[in-house]
Amino acid sequence: MSNLNIPFKTEEFCIEQNKPIPQSVATKLWIFHIIPMLVVRTLLDSPIWASQNSGFRPKAYEISKGRSGESQHTFEGESKGAIDWTCKKSLLPKLLELILEHTNYTRIAVYENFIHCDHKATDGNRYLFTSNEKSVWTLTKTIKI
C-alpha cells in the first residue's frame, strides 16, 4: 500500500509478486498510470494503491485463471494496460471524481472496492461503467472528449 511520503514501487503493480516485469510493461506502468495518478493521490490526500497488485497480469497468469488472456492488464502489444486502483473505501467516490478530472483513461469501471482504469481504444469518448460481482460492466455515462 502506498504512503503519500513514499514513492510507488513498480513491483506493487504486478499480480505475480516474485516474477520480473518486462521493461516495456514497467515503462507503460509509469507513463500511462503511475505518473498521472501522482496528481490524483496528492489531491485525494490519502494513499492509493493497485488493488491486489492488479496492474500487470502476465498473459499466462490470465489463462491459468480461465480467462482469455486478452485483458488490458496484460499490457500486450500496443495496449497501454490497466490498473485497478483503490483507496480507503469511504474515499472511492472522491477517487473516481479525481480520476475523471485529472487523467485521460478511456474506460473506467467502478467495482465495490476498486476502480478499473484503462486506455483501451474507443471512438474518441471516455466511458464510465459500473460492475457487478461477476465483473459484468454496465455503461453509466459517456463523456465526450
Side-chain angles (χ1 to χ4, degrees):
M1 185 185 317
S2 295
N3 177 305
L4 288 175
N5 299 320
I6 300 171
F8 288 115
K9 297 176 185 170
T10 306
E11 58 268 20
E12 294 174 34
F13 298 89
C14 182
I15 204 152
E16 293 185 312
Q17 286 290 290
N18 297 319
K19 295 196 177 175
I21 298 172
Q23 189 171 8
S24 62
V25 171
T27 299
K28 291 177 184 181
L29 279 166
W30 280 94
I31 291 172
F32 300 113
H33 301 278
I34 298 169
I35 291 171
M37 290 298 286
L38 290 173
V39 171
V40 170
R41 181 176 71 170
T42 300
L43 293 170
L44 186 65
D45 195 29
S46 184
I48 62 174
W49 59 93
S51 176
Q52 299 179 344
N53 300 92
S54 192
F56 172 59
R57 299 183 201 156
K59 190 171 188 169
Y61 172 88
E62 286 287 289
I63 291 169
S64 77
K65 299 297 180 186
R67 302 179 190 132
S68 70
E70 301 301 316
S71 168
Q72 292 296 298
H73 285 282
T74 65
F75 287 73
E76 290 276 318
E78 297 300 313
S79 170
K80 295 176 183 175
I83 293 185
D84 296 338
W85 291 105
T86 195
C87 62
K88 209 166 36 171
K89 192 167 183 175
S90 64
L91 292 175
L92 278 171
K94 183 66 174 176
L95 178 62
L96 174 61
E97 178 185 318
L98 292 169
I99 288 169
L100 288 168
E101 289 177 16
H102 297 282
T103 72
N104 60 1
Y105 286 117
T106 57
R107 296 188 320 156
I108 302 161
V110 179
Y111 288 72
E112 182 179 350
N113 295 312
F114 64 90
I115 302 170
H116 169 94
C117 298
D118 71 41
H119 293 278
K120 187 171 182 174
T122 65
D123 56 6
N125 293 313
R126 298 173 82 191
Y127 294 98
L128 180 62
F129 301 87
T130 56
S131 181
N132 67 19
E133 64 280 352
K134 295 184 180 186
S135 293
V136 175
W137 292 6
T138 302
L139 180 64
T140 58
K141 186 174 185 180
T142 300
I143 303 162
K144 304 278 185 208
I145 300 178

